[in-house]
Amino acid sequence: MSELPTGTVTFLFTDIEGSTRLLQRLGDRYPELLSEHGRLLREAVSQEDGIVVSTEGDSFFVAFRSPGQAVRAATAAQRALDANDWPDGTAVRVRMGLHTGEGTRGGENYVGLDVHRAARIAAAAHGGQILISSATRSLVENTLPDGVSARDLGDHRLRDLDQSERLYQLAVRDLPSDFPPPKTLDARPNNLPTRLTRFIGRGPEIMAVEDLLENTRLLTLTGPGGTGKTRLSLQVASEMLPRFEDGAFFVDLSPITDPSLVATSIADAVGAKEEPGRSVGDTLQDHLRDKELLLVLDNFEQVTAATDVVQLLLNCAPRLKLLVTSRIVLHLSGEQEYPVPPLALPDPAHLPGLEALSQFEAVALFIDRARAVKPDFAVTNENAPAVAEICARLDGLPLAIELAAVRVKLLSPQSMLARLGQRLPLLTGGARDLPERQRTLRGAIEWSHDLLDDAKRSLFARLAVFQGGCTLEAAEAVCGTDLDVLDGLASLVDESLLRRSETTDGELRFGMLETIREFAAERLAESGQQEKLRRRHAEWVMAFAEEAEPEIVGENQALWLDRTEREHDNIRAALRWANDHGEGEIALRTGASLWRFWQQRGHLREGRQW
């Protein structure tokens, strides 16, 4: 790669519109088309000394030292693409976006807001269209090539960017110049709120949600408080907005506790006017009946009795799609669930270099939010291990990471890590304009906890005795003398306070994110049952260890070694409790049964210490 220019740089982003449809149509011949498309672009770019920074699939990212070079390269490329003889008369339409700004190097690439602005301008273009920013237009307006003019398209809100952008279209003689309005947030009716902080990562999740919405009309994003369900739903809605002729509308149900008010809230959001003598439901049905529209219903978990409203709207409006965020699924016919995962995390024990570390979504979010309160914050060799460990201990939960990041104003990452033994007291002080439940992680978890009935709250608290998760059988043995554990586990999974997984040997396990387990442990301590549950837990561990002892040397050795490894955190917790409480028999019987496990799995030092 040639040396990337710095200072004032003009960025060009391009990609083929409808590339997936072309791939499906051409099949094995698509690579040849892609290669020819790349050749034409590279020729036009090289003639103006542009540097291809990166390519991905049919997308190009190019840097130019002057805006004039960028404009000439883009117009030459569009002419070459239009004149080319494509297979089977296929029309290859490439959308292009140009923006001039600060070229700040980040390794073998660029970083900074100007790069994002250029990419968003390209995303707003239609195939065959060249859009440029006002910054680029002001620098080239008197030196445009012959046959090229800049057409003012007005101010537009671009996805993820706070400030609107005045866009201009380069009209090129003898090429198509009549295009629909740019694919921006203003192109379709909507009430999507402007976000005041940058959206970080989530590329695979956005693609997965968009793909699911293509094939379903009711998609529910589930997850515990702080997972980022709302932000993800808004991001998807803004990206998919151009696909819905009648727009996308966001309905915040967090202030609503009366299910009868859900229809009214939806009507207010979409602009359905109340009519005398008619119910809100009837008015809403008439308003949405013929509309192609995306409706985002946020925080549905507390108004689940209003699922009949959702079903009614789906039945009456065949082109309506609903994207719902909820702690629990709605259990409606045709519903598709998407559990929102935590952010991607580095392994604190095997850290990559600083540049690679900052590419992990959790770390990138921490850096971005930390710089909002401390502009000179940076990840260094000294604080990188602490930043990675903080993100890992917070389970990759976006809300937890954001709340921790604002503490860099007072604490270094190393000092913050030392205080994370108990997470919840540290994670307070979110932005004042956020709902109270989002200003602390405790509030987000409490929001979910308070919606449980008494039996589920009790089971939730009791499950805190397990560390590293448990099997159904273990939960029943320790927690289930007076509770329906099977039904309770299913409910807690549905309500996103518990995670279900299956091992390679088919064993089901249930576990909590550590931040949620800490909250559950507080509830267990308040219940007065903590010591009783800890004893039951230790006795179950002892029984498990004694059952495992002969199996570890038997024909199912590998299976039982793996099972014991999965219970290792529970074993440690039980031994610690037994030692601290003078329960020598439990400790000795457990330890005596485990020595072959410690030996064969490389834990001899730990076993000797016990």
Side-chain angles (χ1 to χ4, degrees), residues 378-544:
V379 175
T380 64
N381 289 323
E382 289 71 31
N383 67 23
V387 170
E389 183 69 27
I390 287 168
C391 293
R393 287 203 194 179
L394 297 179
D395 302 311
L397 287 176
L399 176 60
I401 292 169
E402 292 191 15
L403 293 172
V406 300
R407 293 298 188 188
V408 302
K409 196 170 185 178
L410 298 175
L411 300 170
S412 69
Q414 297 92 320
S415 299
M416 195 184 308
L417 181 60
R419 292 170 177 261
L420 270 180
Q422 282 192 308
R423 301 162 181 80
L424 298 180
L426 180 71
L427 303 178
T428 62
R432 294 180 185 275
D433 59 342
L434 291 176
E436 183 61 34
R437 63 188 173 79
Q438 292 181 3
R439 294 184 61 192
T440 70
L441 185 61
R442 184 190 303 278
I445 300 171
E446 200 162 28
W447 171 268
S448 297
H449 174 266
D450 288 350
L451 295 173
L452 300 175
D453 61 31
D454 289 343
K456 291 172 187 172
R457 289 185 192 180
S458 181
L459 178 60
F460 173 69
R462 294 179 189 186
L463 288 169
V465 298
F466 292 102
Q467 295 196 15
C470 65
T471 62
L472 169 62
E473 293 74 19
E476 288 179 326
V478 175
C479 307
T481 56
D482 57 342
L483 294 174
D484 184 343
V485 173
L486 179 60
D487 179 65
L489 290 176
S491 296
L492 291 174
V493 169
D494 279 347
E495 291 156 6
S496 301
L497 289 170
L498 201 64
R499 297 196 294 180
R500 174 188 176 277
S501 61
E502 186 173 347
T503 65
T504 54
D505 56 17
E507 183 180 74
L508 288 181
R509 292 187 67 81
F510 301 87
M512 297 177 182
L513 296 172
E514 279 303 302
T515 43
I516 294 176
R517 199 185 74 81
E518 184 179 318
F519 181 88
E522 292 179 357
R523 305 288 80 75
L524 180 61
E526 293 170 358
S527 73
Q529 295 185 321
Q530 180 169 267
E531 286 309 307
K532 180 174 69 174
L533 267 293
R534 294 292 296 274
R535 174 177 291 278
R536 282 189 201 164
H537 176 261
E539 290 172 346
W540 174 81
V541 167
M542 179 180 68
F544 171 84

Side-chain angles (χ1 to χ4, degrees), residues 577-588:
W577 177 86
N579 273 339
D580 291 347
H581 289 74
E583 296 288 344
E585 182 178 348
I586 292 177
L588 285 167

Side-chain angles (χ1 to χ4, degrees), residues 262-484:
V262 170
T264 302
S265 299
I266 296 173
D268 289 343
V270 301
K273 302 297 184 182
E274 184 178 351
E275 299 178 19
R278 300 192 69 200
S279 70
V280 175
D282 289 342
T283 302
L284 191 55
Q285 288 183 70
D286 286 347
H287 182 82
L288 295 176
R289 194 177 308 279
D290 299 318
K291 284 185 165 50
E292 183 184 41
L293 184 141
L294 176 64
L295 193 59
V296 181
L297 303 181
D298 191 42
N299 292 295
F300 203 88
E301 61 269 6
Q302 59 184 1
V303 288
T304 52
T307 52
D308 58 327
V309 176
V310 173
Q311 190 67 68
L312 189 68
L313 296 181
L314 288 170
N315 290 340
C316 81
R319 297 199 297 164
L320 173 70
K321 295 199 178 216
L322 283 98
L323 180 59
V324 179
T325 75
S326 178
R327 185 172 45 80
I328 57 178
V329 292
L330 277 57
H331 296 293
L332 289 176
S333 176
E335 179 183 19
Q336 170 73 51
E337 180 187 5
Y338 180 79
V340 177
L343 295 174
L345 287 166
D347 180 359
H350 303 91
L351 289 182
L354 293 183
E355 184 179 342
L357 180 64
S358 65
Q359 300 306 308
F360 282 92
E361 293 177 344
V363 175
L365 179 64
F366 186 96
I367 294 170
D368 184 81
R369 300 308 190 252
R371 286 177 176 168
V373 297
K374 194 173 187 291
D376 61 346
F377 176 80
V379 175
T380 64
N381 289 323
E382 289 71 31
N383 67 23
V387 170
E389 183 69 27
I390 287 168
C391 293
R393 287 203 194 179
L394 297 179
D395 302 311
L397 287 176
L399 176 60
I401 292 169
E402 292 191 15
L403 293 172
V406 300
R407 293 298 188 188
V408 302
K409 196 170 185 178
L410 298 175
L411 300 170
S412 69
Q414 297 92 320
S415 299
M416 195 184 308
L417 181 60
R419 292 170 177 261
L420 270 180
Q422 282 192 308
R423 301 162 181 80
L424 298 180
L426 180 71
L427 303 178
T428 62
R432 294 180 185 275
D433 59 342
L434 291 176
E436 183 61 34
R437 63 188 173 79
Q438 292 181 3
R439 294 184 61 192
T440 70
L441 185 61
R442 184 190 303 278
I445 300 171
E446 200 162 28
W447 171 268
S448 297
H449 174 266
D450 288 350
L451 295 173
L452 300 175
D453 61 31
D454 289 343
K456 291 172 187 172
R457 289 185 192 180
S458 181
L459 178 60
F460 173 69
R462 294 179 189 186
L463 288 169
V465 298
F466 292 102
Q467 295 196 15
C470 65
T471 62
L472 169 62
E473 293 74 19
E476 288 179 326
V478 175
C479 307
T481 56
D482 57 342
L483 294 174
D484 184 343

